[in-house]
Amino acid sequence: MILELRPAAQEFLLSRSLTRKTFVGEVIYEDRAQFTHAVFPHEGVISLMAEMEDGRTIEKTSLGFEGFLGLALIMGGGVAISRSVVQVPGYTSWISVADLDEALAEFVCVREAMLRYAQALIVQTMESVACNGLHSAEQRISRWLLHARDRVMSDQFTMKQQTLSETLGVRRATVSAVCAQLQKDGILEYSRGELKIIDRPRLEQRSCQCYARVTNASLLSSNRQRPASA
């Protein structure tokens, strides 16, 4: 998101930020934790997770370079509403609450970009609810992998099947069966947690309409073009 801002706003935020790598399984914020920084991914995927008392988990929504973690900071709150977990590694910029407040006061484009992202995030969250209730495991897994691919800007990335299982709230055996079929059909390759998408157009065919809807909502909130099929 930072790189979509006006040059002066970019320079301000980047000069005040700490940029570092993120790792699979890293917890950025626990549920109800106080925000100390807004976190802007440049690469990778962060999931906002719901955790049940019986230990089951499912993703509420996710974000990558199109957004940021800490939306409550511009909505009158300062507390995380979910446990945020890194699902695909990458790197992020951390900006303190004080510096973010200064940027919001000085640069109109910062608030505008954040509000546009908020609108796109609402669409994504609503689509996720519909997708989880209506679509097959293969469709949901394909959609998630496509979004991950767009966020790392590469056909190859780290993705453990156990992570997919916990993220999508489906059995580990189901994830394994779907990935095995996609590999058998020549759509992807998977080995020891490393996944490579071989045929993106066919993976889109295996996905559901939610992928296009979420992608289009994100594009409307930014200056990016739709990821090209390769």
Side-chain angles (χ1 to χ4, degrees), residues 125-183:
T125 304
M126 294 173 67
E127 289 294 336
S128 293
V129 171
C131 189
N132 291 339
L134 297 175
H135 296 141
S136 68
E138 182 183 69
Q139 289 175 312
R140 293 168 60 204
I141 290 169
S142 298
R143 173 181 65 85
W144 204 95
L145 293 177
L146 286 165
H147 285 310
R149 184 268 182 197
D150 295 343
R151 286 164 169 164
V152 300
M153 294 175 284
S154 172
D155 289 323
Q156 187 167 351
F157 50 91
T158 300
M159 184 75 260
K160 294 183 178 180
Q161 292 186 1
Q162 182 62 33
T163 300
L164 265 179
S165 171
E166 295 172 355
T167 300
L168 296 176
V170 298
R171 294 173 58 245
R172 170 71 168 75
T174 301
V175 174
S176 180
V178 170
C179 289
Q181 187 62 53
L182 291 173
Q183 183 162 276

Side-chain angles (χ1 to χ4, degrees), residues 73-74 99-108 110-111 114:
L73 294 171
I74 65 166
D99 286 334
L100 179 63
D101 286 344
E102 188 176 341
L104 289 168
E106 185 169 348
F107 303 103
V108 175
V110 174
R111 183 174 296 276
M114 289 181 169

